[in-house]
């Protein structure tokens, strides 16, 4: 078996592009003028799920922190719609606040 020189070895580059989900979310926020998008970690079923600290925001855009002023309301909406949220390929669940037209 003949060993090749380092200059003869070609490194294959991946043919697929890397998807930046953060860039996709930032673009969505910019295009829609969304106030905030936050990914919320659902607590394990075996743990005590009381209190808003049981539901941490693990990613938020565009701010660095989740919207803490509305956090209790957001958690309430999530817990009231858990069955629908856990079903695969269902239409998105949304909430329109008539007081602020959002």
């Amino acid at each position: 078996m003949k060993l090749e020189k380092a200059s003869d070895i070609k490194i294959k580059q991946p043919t697929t592009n890397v998807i930046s989900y953060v860039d996709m979310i930032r673009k969505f926020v910019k295009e829609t003028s969304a106030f905030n998008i936050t990914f919320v970690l659902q607590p394990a079923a075996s743990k005590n799920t009381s209190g808003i600290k049981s539901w941490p925001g693990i990613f938020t855009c565009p701010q660095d922190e989740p919207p803490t002023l509305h956090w209790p309301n957001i958690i309430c909406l999530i817990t009231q719609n858990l069955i629908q949220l856990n079903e695969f390929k269902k239409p998105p669940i949304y909430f329109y606040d008539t007081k602020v037209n959002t």
Side-chain angles (χ1 to χ4, degrees), residues 1-72:
M1 177 175 172
K2 181 181 175 186
L3 295 176
E4 298 179 23
K5 295 185 284 184
S7 61
D8 292 339
I9 298 174
K10 295 182 182 178
I11 299 173
K12 291 187 177 183
Q13 297 293 328
T15 57
T16 59
N17 294 332
V18 177
I19 297 172
S20 173
Y21 292 106
V22 173
D23 288 341
M24 288 174 63
I25 293 167
R26 286 183 181 144
K27 182 180 176 186
F28 176 79
V29 168
K30 185 177 179 181
E31 290 176 354
T32 62
S33 300
F35 173 73
N36 182 276
I37 293 179
T38 300
F39 294 165
V40 181
L41 182 64
Q42 182 178 348
S46 61
K47 293 186 177 184
N48 182 4
T49 59
S50 64
I52 61 173
K53 291 186 179 185
S54 301
W55 299 81
I58 57 172
F59 173 84
T60 187
C61 180
Q63 297 100 338
D64 294 330
E65 294 290 324
T68 54
L69 178 64
H70 302 288
W71 204 246

Side-chain angles (χ1 to χ4, degrees), residues 49-100:
T49 59
S50 64
I52 61 173
K53 291 186 179 185
S54 301
W55 299 81
I58 57 172
F59 173 84
T60 187
C61 180
Q63 297 100 338
D64 294 330
E65 294 290 324
T68 54
L69 178 64
H70 302 288
W71 204 246
N73 299 334
I74 293 167
I75 301 306
C76 182
L77 287 169
I78 292 171
T79 55
Q80 288 176 350
N81 295 289
L82 273 177
I83 294 172
Q84 293 91 344
L85 290 170
N86 288 326
E87 291 178 3
F88 188 66
K89 292 188 176 183
K90 292 292 179 179
I93 297 172
Y94 60 91
F95 177 75
Y96 184 82
D97 189 347
T98 56
K99 294 178 185 174
V100 292

